[in-house]
Amino acid sequence: MGTFLKYFLTLWALGLLAVLSIAGLRGSTSRKPPIEIFPDMDRQAKLRPQTTTAFAGFADSQSSRLHVAGTVARGSAYEDNELNTGKSADGKLVEVNPLKVDAQFLQRGQMQFGIYCQPCHGALGDGKGITSKYGMGNVANLHQERLVKAPDGEFFQTISNGKSSMMGYAGQIPVSDRWAIVAYVRALQLSRLGTKDDVPADQLGNIK
Ligand code: HEC
C-alpha cells in the first residue's frame, strides 16, 4: 500500500469517527435537543393554540382567534344542500329549480349557456356545437327523452361535476348561474315539446 493511500485511509477513518461522534447516535435518550447545524425556524417565539396570552392586542387573552362568523370547515355539509349540490341531505336529486325562475333569470341562463355550453351543445342544445366541426364527438343532445325527464338537480350535478367525457364547471360558473343555465335548458327543451295548445288564445294569430 502506498504511503499516500495509508494517510488517506487513516484521515478518512478519523473524519468518519468525528462526524459520527458529533452527528451520530448518542447512545442514550436525552431531553436536550441535538446539535442543530441549521436551526432556521425550528425555535421561535410563538403561542400554542388554546392557551392564554398576556398580549394586550387580544382582549380575551386567548392565544388563538375565533373563526370569522359563518366560517364553514372544508368538506363539511352545506347549509343549503339542495341549492349548492342539487341534492337533498339524504342524497335525492332536487326535482325543481330552487331559485325563482323569471324572465330575467332565463336571460341570465341564456347568456351563460351561450358562453359555457353552446360551443359543444349548440345554440339549440342538440349537441351540434361548433366544436363538433373540429372533432368533438358524441356531445349529448339535450332534447333526448331521458334528459327531458331528468330532475333539475341532475342537470345541476352534470354542470357542476361533469359527466364521463364532459368536464365539470363548478370552478367557473357560480351556483346561481348554474341554476339559471338549468332553467334555460328546460326552456330549450320546452321549445321543442310545446304544442299549439300551449299558446295563449290571443297570441295564436301570431304563429307563422
Ligand atoms: C367541451 C364540450 C362541452 C361543453 C362546453 C359542455 N358539455 Fe355537456 N357534454 C359534453 C359531452 C361530450 C357530453 C357527453 C358525455 C358522455 O356521455 O360521454 C355532454 C353531456 C352533457 C349532458 C348529458 C349528461 C347525461 O346525463 O348523459 C348534459 C345535461 C350536459 N352535457 C349539459 C351541459 C351544460 C348545461 C353545459 C354548460 C354549462 C355543458 N354541458 C357544457 C360536452 C360538453
Side-chain angles (χ1 to χ4, degrees):
M1 215 191 285
T3 340
F4 172 75
L5 193 58
K6 218 189 285 179
Y7 281 126
F8 175 80
L9 278 180
T10 317
L11 276 176
W12 188 83
L14 283 175
L16 186 71
L17 201 71
V19 168
L20 277 180
S21 58
I22 294 173
L25 287 174
R26 231 182 331 220
S28 62
T29 53
S30 160
R31 296 196 57 81
K32 285 208 213 111
I35 295 168
E36 288 166 312
I37 297 169
F38 301 111
D40 289 344
M41 294 196 290
D42 284 357
R43 263 145 257 290
Q44 54 182 290
K46 64 166 186 271
L47 289 167
R48 295 190 182 274
Q50 304 193 7
T51 56
T52 54
T53 170
F55 176 52
F58 295 162
D60 59 6
S61 334
Q62 290 187 41
S63 62
S64 355
R65 302 298 79 215
L66 292 175
H67 296 144
V68 175
T71 304
V72 179
R74 218 186 144 92
S76 66
Y78 289 97
E79 259 177 48
D80 188 340
N81 262 299
E82 307 198 351
L83 178 72
N84 288 296
T85 67
K87 273 185 182 173
S88 58
D90 55 16
K92 270 183 66 185
L93 286 164
V94 172
E95 283 297 327
V96 181
N97 206 316
L99 296 178
K100 186 167 164 279
V101 180
D102 56 16
Q104 204 192 347
F105 193 62
L106 278 175
Q107 261 168 18
R108 178 79 193 168
Q110 181 176 31
M111 186 181 121
Q112 296 294 300
F113 184 90
I115 295 169
Y116 291 108
C117 319
Q118 192 166 317
C120 293
H121 288 279
L124 305 175
D126 54 7
K128 299 196 182 99
I130 185 75
T131 52
S132 64
K133 293 206 175 74
Y134 296 91
M136 181 98 200
N138 70 306
V139 178
N141 174 1
L142 302 179
H143 298 282
Q144 58 187 284
E145 200 188 347
R146 181 174 63 80
L147 293 178
V148 170
K149 289 185 177 150
D152 281 358
E154 188 170 331
F155 288 89
F156 184 85
Q157 287 249 309
T158 303
I159 299 173
S160 305
N161 310 322
K163 184 118 186 196
S164 47
S165 54
M166 176 184 144
M167 70 172 223
Y169 287 86
Q172 288 100 313
I173 313 178
V175 166
S176 65
D177 282 349
R178 276 178 252 160
W179 284 115
I181 293 173
V182 174
Y184 183 69
V185 169
R186 286 299 188 213
L188 279 179
Q189 290 176 336
L190 270 180
S191 74
R192 293 230 172 151
L193 298 168
T195 64
K196 228 169 135 187
D197 299 336
D198 295 326
V199 182
D202 58 341
Q203 297 286 327
L204 273 174
N206 293 332
I207 299 181
K208 286 174 194 145

